[in-house]
Amino acid sequence: MNAGWLGMGQGMSGDSLNKNPQEWETWMFAMRVVDDDAAVGKDMKNLGRFVNDRTPSNLDPNYGEKIEALRAVLRKHLARDFNL
């Protein structure tokens, strides 16, 4: 999920980039509540969501480099959180 500015982070709870960790944790808790509620009665388990608020601008001259760095972070989180 790309999320604008939620306190500077990439990932889930505990993954603030230290600009505003309390705000990041508040948003991550809210997302978990929504996702847990959506899973109720549907035989689903909430495994969390990767939240990103560090996407480079489409017009950024270093877009390619920055989007590849974002992909690397996402892959790291998938491996860590879901054993992929």
Side-chain angles (χ1 to χ4, degrees), residues 21-70:
Q22 184 175 7
E23 185 170 356
W24 179 260
E25 290 305 313
T26 299
W27 280 106
M28 294 305 98
F29 177 78
M31 299 293 178
R32 190 181 84 216
V33 169
V34 169
D35 293 342
D36 284 345
D37 188 55
V40 170
K42 298 178 180 76
D43 197 29
M44 296 187 316
K45 179 181 177 185
N46 175 17
L47 296 176
R49 71 168 77 188
F50 179 89
V51 178
N52 172 59
D53 69 357
R54 302 288 299 170
T55 303
S57 164
N58 290 339
L59 300 178
D60 189 315
N62 298 315
Y63 178 83
E65 178 183 312
K66 290 179 180 179
I67 203 71
E68 287 303 321
L70 175 56

Side-chain angles (χ1 to χ4, degrees), residues 11-16 24-25 28-29 32 49 77 80-81:
M12 293 195 249
S13 185
D15 293 322
S16 168
W24 179 260
E25 290 305 313
M28 294 305 98
F29 177 78
R32 190 181 84 216
R49 71 168 77 188
H77 282 275
R80 180 193 78 184
D81 298 330

